[in-house]
Amino acid sequence: MEKLVISGGTSLRGEVSIIGAKNSAIAILPATLLSNGIFTLHNVPNIIDVRLSCQILEAIGSKITWIDKNTLVIDNKDVHSTNVPLDLTSKFRASYYLIGSLLSKYGKIEVGLPGGCNLGVRPIDQHIKGFEALGAESNISQGKISLKAKKLIGTNIYMDIVSVGATINIMIASVLAKGTTTIENAAKEPHVVDIANFLNSMGADIRGAGTDIIKINGVENLKDSCSYSVVPDQIEAGTFMLAAVASKGNILIKNCIPEHLDSLISKISEVGGNVEVFGDSIKVSADKRPLGTSLKTLPYPGFPTDLQPQMGVVLSVANGTSIINESIWDSRFQYTAELNKMGANIAAHDRTAFFEGVSHLSGAPVYASDLRAGAALVIAGVIANGTTEIYNLRHIDRGYENIEEKFNKLGAKIKRIQE
Ligand code: EPU
């Protein structure tokens, strides 16, 4: 078993460069299956979820070559089957994007019900509603979902809730559908726009991504090749911004899109941090203990749920009381029990957590319950007095590339140890 051992008490200083967005890359990879072409993807995060996506694509005939650490060439010339390995698809959430692409291109698909972080109930009813509206028949049994359709037909789809995954999946499925599909009440996250941009560069005709209404005019054929660079990961950028505030440090975060982080920039200012924006970089610094605040997670452009645990670390050491209301996931406060082991004073009930700020955290053995909880514990370990040991690293490695290397370049003292 691997663990991270952190000698804490560090103020993080220096520069960090942000890599492509996990949640975009893991949709773009299956989306390439809409065509039997060759695609070059730049700025791809080299993380477990991307490598799992590659394994699934390879199992149905894609040839994938890593040109360098963050560049992939995907050759789909020999893809001819939709028999994806069910055990792999059950391992992570984004395998549901195989449904959108393979159903649309080949008319049938069966995948294991998607896994991923344990954040409470994670239904996919809105995805299925969309596929059925496009003319597919679906069947769920024995942990598997299968769908079939002769030809998907464009239609109007009103999403009952704002869902990032369902918006992207229906968008992917509609690219080759006959006629026009309109998605209303669509998610507006930067990676929804990024995937629409990728699909358009493959030859799709998608308009309105980034607004509530997306229109997809079905096309008959896609290009044989294209080259695309994945949008910078706003959650990785936000993680380092919050690490700067929590550690009373000074970090220049490079290769990010500051407009994607407006809700976080505003909260950081509220708690007394300093933010300066320069083109595609953000400098965040703090010289005193943060102030308390309250926030509610919301779909974009609201405060992202994927930065809630990292913000929770800042509030755990704030001067004052804070409240977080988590409106997206049922079980995203599991990290608060771990922070309490480190001396925090947080009471979490259902979807609300109350933070009574403490002057400092103390190192302890802690467990990452999910990906962002793991990132939060890394920040907590860096600012705590003494030594913190973090277990369950597979969660962190699913979504952060070389997390300890990036923190160590900023002055942290983190070692990965095999027990
Ligand atoms: N929901 C439904 N029915 C559906 C789909 C979603 O009720 O068919 C509900 C969910 O239960 C949740 C809400 O709608 O309460 C929003 O879910 P959404 O579909 O937007 O989430 P997702 O697509 O499953 C993605 C990211 C998550 C991120 C959320 C919200 C991926 C693979 N995952 O999940 O990322 O928290 O959007 O922004 O893209 C992470 O990166 O740590 C992570 C969990």
Side-chain angles (χ1 to χ4, degrees), residues 132-400:
E132 287 181 345
L134 292 167
E137 282 171 32
S138 71
N139 179 41
I140 299 184
S141 74
Q142 298 176 330
K144 291 179 289 191
I145 170 160
S146 40
L147 292 102
K148 58 179 182 182
K150 274 208 179 94
K151 172 84 184 158
L152 297 178
I153 312 284
T155 186
N156 282 5
I157 302 167
Y158 186 90
M159 311 299 300
D160 300 324
I161 42 137
V162 178
S163 160
V164 176
T167 301
I168 294 172
N169 222 347
I170 297 168
M171 201 164 70
I172 294 172
S174 307
V175 164
L176 295 174
K178 188 170 181 327
T180 298
T181 302
T182 305
I183 307 175
E184 288 186 67
N185 199 22
K188 296 180 281 210
E189 268 67 5
H191 44 292
V192 174
V193 179
D194 195 47
I195 291 146
N197 288 341
F198 169 71
L199 292 167
N200 283 343
S201 66
M202 278 177 94
D205 181 358
I206 301 176
R207 296 154 197 221
T211 75
D212 295 319
I213 303 182
I214 304 179
K215 274 195 195 304
I216 304 110
N217 295 315
V219 295
E220 281 185 14
N221 294 303
L222 292 167
K223 291 183 190 159
D224 287 338
S225 67
C226 80
S227 176
Y228 192 77
S229 183
V230 179
V231 71
D233 195 324
Q234 88 266 26
I235 303 301
E236 192 196 20
T239 300
F240 284 103
M241 290 164 73
L242 289 166
V245 179
S247 71
K248 295 191 216 110
N250 187 332
I251 306 181
L252 181 68
I253 294 129
K254 293 164 68 173
N255 186 36
C256 62
I257 301 181
E259 297 76 46
H260 292 167
L261 289 149
D262 281 349
S263 62
L264 178 63
I265 292 174
S266 148
K267 277 293 155 197
I268 288 181
S269 304
E270 259 177 62
V271 301
N274 311 307
V275 182
E276 288 171 85
V277 171
F278 316 91
D280 65 353
S281 304
I282 305 181
K283 187 189 258 188
V284 181
S285 63
D287 45 24
K288 52 183 184 310
R289 212 175 140 191
L291 303 169
T293 190
S294 292
L295 67 93
K296 179 174 184 169
T297 62
L298 287 169
Y300 187 84
F303 191 95
T305 174
D306 294 346
L307 288 172
Q308 185 263 102
Q310 303 87 315
M311 186 73 192
V313 178
V314 170
L315 300 184
S316 73
V317 291
N319 195 356
T321 306
S322 306
I323 302 175
I324 297 184
N325 180 246
E326 168 59 53
S327 83
I328 311 289
W329 300 117
D330 294 327
S331 299
R332 213 164 202 175
F333 283 128
Q334 296 172 69
Y335 74 92
T336 59
E338 304 305 296
L339 289 186
N340 285 345
K341 289 182 194 163
M342 300 177 73
N345 183 1
I346 310 166
H349 301 286
D350 298 330
R351 288 181 171 217
T352 306
F354 300 87
F355 295 72
E356 206 55 66
V358 296
S359 62
H360 65 274
L361 299 177
S362 305
V366 287
Y367 292 82
S369 53
D370 60 73
L371 169 58
R372 309 302 171 185
L377 293 177
V378 172
I379 301 175
V382 167
I383 65 168
N385 294 339
T387 305
T388 296
E389 292 178 359
I390 305 180
Y391 294 89
N392 274 357
L393 301 189
R394 67 195 160 86
H395 288 301
I396 304 178
D397 296 336
R398 278 191 35 229
Y400 287 88

Side-chain angles (χ1 to χ4, degrees), residues 22-23 26 93-94 96-97 119 121-127 161-165 189 305-306 328-329 332 371-372:
K22 162 182 103 71
N23 289 342
I26 57 182
R93 185 82 185 151
Y96 51 41
Y97 294 129
L119 305 173
V121 185
R122 299 187 75 173
I124 56 165
D125 56 299
Q126 295 301 304
H127 302 238
I161 42 137
V162 178
S163 160
V164 176
E189 268 67 5
T305 174
D306 294 346
I328 311 289
W329 300 117
R332 213 164 202 175
L371 169 58
R372 309 302 171 185

